[in-house]
Amino acid sequence: MKRRAFRSALLASAFAVATALGAGVVAHPTAAAAQQAPKDLNTIQPVPTDYTPKKTPWGDYDFRGIWPIENLNSAHILFQRPKEYGNRQYVTDEEFQRRVDAAKRSDGNYVSPDKAKGVGTPGTQGLADWVQHSALMRRTGMVISPANGQLPPLTPKAEKLFEQGRSSWTPGIEFHWVDDFDTWDRCISRGFPASMFPFRYNNGIRVFQSPGYITIVLEMLGTRVIPISNDPNYKWPKGVESWMGNSRAHWEGKTLVIDTSNIKSGDSASHDGLKRAASPVNVATQNAPPFNTTPTSPQAHTVERLTMTGPDTITYEVTYTDPEVYTAPWTARLEWTRNDKYEFYEYACAEGDEQVRNYITASKAHIQQISSGEVDPKKERDMRERYAQQFDYDPGTGPRPGAPGGGRGQAGAAPAAGQQGGARPAPPAGAAAGQRPNG
């Protein structure tokens, strides 16, 4: 079965629901001075630590609240830096103004729910105000290391597994069984640290605290209960893994540092469900690598740093290390903005989910149509090819190019040698007629 518009419709409807429920309303960050660009646009500035948060009754710094990151998605701050910015960590005044103007247009397109037709509300509320006051909006992207703002190249072993991987996002495969889908397709997990980055919808984050613990509740598929302790007994034995890993936290001054290991390891190429794993970065984050087939090794490890930079802002920074998969560590930094009026609703993903079964059924029918000569696969277009092409654009880089089509590659062009992304090998001969590709 070639890719229909099903996933697009699903994403569009889910985004519309999220917007209708208040995701389009953006809180105002309080760091008004944050919009002063540094003189050196190429060097990332340290996270400010001059703000002192209030404390909980038991003496920890108080991070409790609701911190949706939908504004990053609405403002089109990309995960990997647009190539137009080169090695710059910060935008120029002209580029920043383009972002402000785009946010104003988005706010101008807002239609209240009582006047909107169908599900969802077009446009945003308060996005321009957030853009003008958020420290993040002076940055060129979320990835701050390596210096070029791109994820490091994969190791040869990981690159092979990436190319052989299967998910509903990968072109050229048919769906034979549940092991042809990724963990997000199956409502299990978005992956880690992928779950901490903005997605197309449902970007709420809520923080609870109690003595000795901090709990991070994600609106979509994830709750992390994290002990705050240096006790080595909180570290799991090697081989005990979970989708969100084994996290332990401690305080370094006013910054909460979370160390996570024991992340579910595996790949997307295996047909053994116990050996499959989620990608560390998900395709639903703007300008992330395609296909959701990046593997995770047992050496995967993260260090997260959460620092309150004002009463309504948290700087979130994560460094990811997996020497079996990436040739170097990488670091992303983003901003959480408090919005305690943001409401969480149940993310009922698995209940009544018939999509995986329907894909398999339709795929079998498609294979039969090819075998009988009713369908010529050479004349069909695999709609999943578009996921290999950048289709989100930062308004700071200038007018958006034409809609992507045809070719493949990260950032609208073929990636450099060794860089993750871009074309996948064509399916082996006979794959369309029922033979498992990559099997």
Side-chain angles (χ1 to χ4, degrees), residues 296-319:
T296 299
S297 89
Q299 296 189 58
H301 173 257
T302 67
V303 175
E304 300 162 279
R305 302 181 65 86
L306 280 68
T307 307
M308 286 193 73
T309 54
D312 297 320
T313 52
I314 290 177
T315 294
Y316 172 86
E317 184 174 290
V318 57
T319 297

Side-chain angles (χ1 to χ4, degrees), residues 189-436:
S189 173
R190 291 179 287 165
F192 187 79
S195 296
M196 304 304 296
F197 302 132
F199 268 47
R200 305 283 168 178
Y201 52 87
N202 289 28
N203 283 305
I205 298 173
R206 187 165 189 174
V207 175
F208 296 93
Q209 288 174 257
S210 63
Y213 288 89
I214 186 165
T215 297
I216 299 175
V217 179
L218 305 175
E219 186 175 8
M220 189 197 304
L221 297 177
T223 296
R224 305 171 61 193
V225 180
I226 304 169
I228 302 175
S229 174
N230 289 318
D231 188 339
N233 291 324
Y234 280 111
K235 188 171 183 178
W236 296 348
K238 184 178 180 180
V240 178
E241 299 178 337
S242 77
W243 296 109
M244 304 296 280
N246 171 214
S247 298
R248 293 87 56 199
H250 66 275
W251 292 99
E252 291 184 5
K254 293 177 280 189
T255 296
L256 183 71
V257 180
I258 305 173
D259 186 285
T260 301
S261 59
N262 299 67
I263 304 166
K264 176 67 177 73
S265 61
D267 54 64
S268 297
S270 175
H271 291 290
D272 183 343
L274 297 178
K275 295 180 180 179
R276 292 178 65 82
S279 175
V281 182
N282 194 293
V283 68
T285 295
Q286 297 187 39
N287 206 26
F291 311 133
N292 280 357
T293 57
T294 304
T296 299
S297 89
Q299 296 189 58
H301 173 257
T302 67
V303 175
E304 300 162 279
R305 302 181 65 86
L306 280 68
T307 307
M308 286 193 73
T309 54
D312 297 320
T313 52
I314 290 177
T315 294
Y316 172 86
E317 184 174 290
V318 57
T319 297
Y320 185 82
T321 304
D322 189 344
E324 289 189 36
V325 173
Y326 290 101
T327 54
W330 53 266
T331 299
R333 183 190 292 179
L334 45 150
E335 183 178 86
W336 298 0
T337 304
R338 185 192 300 275
N339 183 357
D340 288 333
K341 294 182 179 180
Y342 185 96
E343 296 186 60
F344 275 41
Y345 293 81
E346 180 188 8
Y347 187 73
C349 185
E351 293 82 353
D353 178 9
E354 299 178 353
Q355 300 160 22
V356 171
R357 182 183 66 189
N358 291 342
Y359 272 120
I360 295 171
T361 301
S363 197
K364 289 181 177 179
H366 183 252
I367 292 169
Q368 291 175 355
Q369 289 175 329
I370 294 174
S371 299
S372 66
E374 297 177 59
V375 171
D376 183 354
K378 295 181 180 179
K379 295 182 179 180
E380 287 188 317
R381 182 185 177 190
D382 191 330
M383 297 302 291
R384 291 167 293 190
E385 291 183 0
R386 61 184 173 163
Y387 299 125
Q389 181 105 8
Q390 179 187 352
F391 50 88
D392 293 296
Y393 289 87
D394 176 350
T397 61
R400 179 188 175 100
R408 304 181 183 184
Q410 282 288 83
Q419 180 182 323
Q420 186 177 4
R424 298 175 65 85
Q435 179 179 344
R436 281 180 179 266

